[in-house]
Amino acid sequence: GAVVSQHPSRVICKSGTSVKIECRSLDFQATTMFWYRQFPKQSLMLMATSNEGSKATYEQGVEKDKFLINHASLTLSTLTVTSAHPEDSSFYICSAFHPGEGGEKLFFGSGTQLSVL
Amino acid sequence: AQSVTQLGSHVSVSEGALVLLRCNYSSSVPPYLFWYVQYPNQGLQLLLKYTTGATLVKGINGFEAEFKKSETSFHLTKPSAHMSDAAEYFCAVSLTGGGNKLTFGTGTQLKVEL
């Protein structure tokens, strides 16, 4: 099946720094990617929809200036957590929508565990 | 709006025993329902999905799920658990069959014991 690579898998940073997470579709072009966040013992929550060549669409309650999303190419979307604080510590996971006919449509990365000290 | 409830954050079964992971949903429109599995250090992988048609859906690795509208449920089952089934399982609902905007449950960690 299609592969989505997410990097890094784990990052620890100091409060106030910015962290960039990359999501790549390795063998298909993804015009749409999604970013989710999961707090311990809670659901994966959709943060934003990333569309290639246009601005991301953020879900209600998600600060667009804090979580910067860039989808500059058909195979890469990045999520930058700006001025990270301990409350931003979470598991972030991306998915890419495969537009091909039939079969599975949505493929997930393996996630990034962010810990802000 | 839609939501998903997974009963039991942890389920433990013996190898060879029946696996039953529960999922209930709420949706204002006919739902599309999904089960995903996540193995350690890997991305979510689609097990099966219900869009329309037959309410009993068969997926990979011997799993199946039945859509019961009257009970608003989509429970996941497997007749005989294998050690390799140990993983986290997520139920999800979407307004579209392609599943491009999912609402997830909190997940169920399945443990398989000898």
Side-chain angles (χ1 to χ4, degrees):
Chain A
V3 177
V4 174
S5 173
Q6 187 173 341
H7 179 80
S9 59
R10 190 174 191 90
V11 59
I12 301 172
C13 70
K14 293 181 178 180
S15 185
T17 60
S18 294
V19 174
K20 180 185 283 188
I21 303 170
E22 293 187 347
C23 181
R24 293 179 186 274
S25 56
L26 296 185
D27 51 359
F28 66 98
Q29 294 182 331
T31 55
T32 303
M33 292 185 175
F34 302 89
W35 288 95
Y36 291 84
R37 177 171 57 184
Q38 185 182 28
F39 292 108
K41 301 187 186 304
Q42 295 186 29
S43 302
L44 279 76
M45 299 297 295
L46 180 65
M47 298 175 67
T49 302
S50 170
N51 298 297
E52 186 269 336
S54 64
K55 291 183 178 180
T57 304
Y58 290 81
E59 296 299 304
Q60 191 173 7
V62 178
E63 299 175 60
K64 63 180 181 180
D65 293 331
K66 182 168 187 61
F67 299 98
L68 300 179
I69 292 173
N70 184 285
H71 194 159
S73 78
L74 287 171
T75 60
L76 174 64
S77 176
T78 61
L79 168 68
T80 301
V81 183
T82 62
S83 187
H85 291 282
E87 58 265 30
D88 299 323
S89 298
S90 186
F91 186 70
Y92 294 85
I93 190 165
C94 71
S95 65
F97 188 70
H98 191 312
E101 292 293 328
E104 186 175 345
K105 296 293 188 181
L106 198 62
F107 298 91
F108 285 82
S110 54
T112 298
Q113 183 65 53
L114 171 63
S115 299
V116 185
L117 304 178
Chain B
Q2 60 268 17
S3 66
V4 176
T5 301
Q6 288 184 244
L7 292 176
S9 59
H10 291 81
V11 170
S12 183
V13 301
S14 299
E15 190 174 36
L18 171 72
V19 175
L20 170 61
L21 304 182
R22 298 179 186 274
C23 173
N24 288 87
Y25 69 91
S26 68
S27 177
S28 56
V29 298
Y32 298 96
L33 297 159
F34 304 78
W35 274 101
Y36 283 86
V37 60
Q38 185 178 30
Y39 298 104
N41 302 314
Q42 295 185 31
L44 276 71
Q45 179 183 1
L46 181 66
L47 270 180
L48 49 80
K49 64 180 179 181
Y50 169 78
T51 53
T52 58
T55 56
L56 181 62
V57 181
K58 294 186 184 298
I60 61 172
N61 302 338
F63 284 93
E64 61 183 36
E66 186 171 10
F67 170 57
K68 292 187 176 180
K69 185 178 179 180
S70 62
E71 299 178 7
T72 60
S73 69
F74 191 56
H75 301 330
L76 181 71
T77 61
K78 181 174 180 177
S80 176
H82 191 272
M83 296 296 289
S84 61
D85 294 325
E88 181 110 27
Y89 291 81
F90 293 92
C91 182
V93 62
S94 173
L95 295 179
T96 66
N100 58 345
K101 195 168 183 179
L102 296 163
T103 298
F104 285 91
T106 51
T108 298
Q109 184 70 46
L110 176 65
K111 183 178 180 181
V112 182
E113 299 174 320
L114 288 172

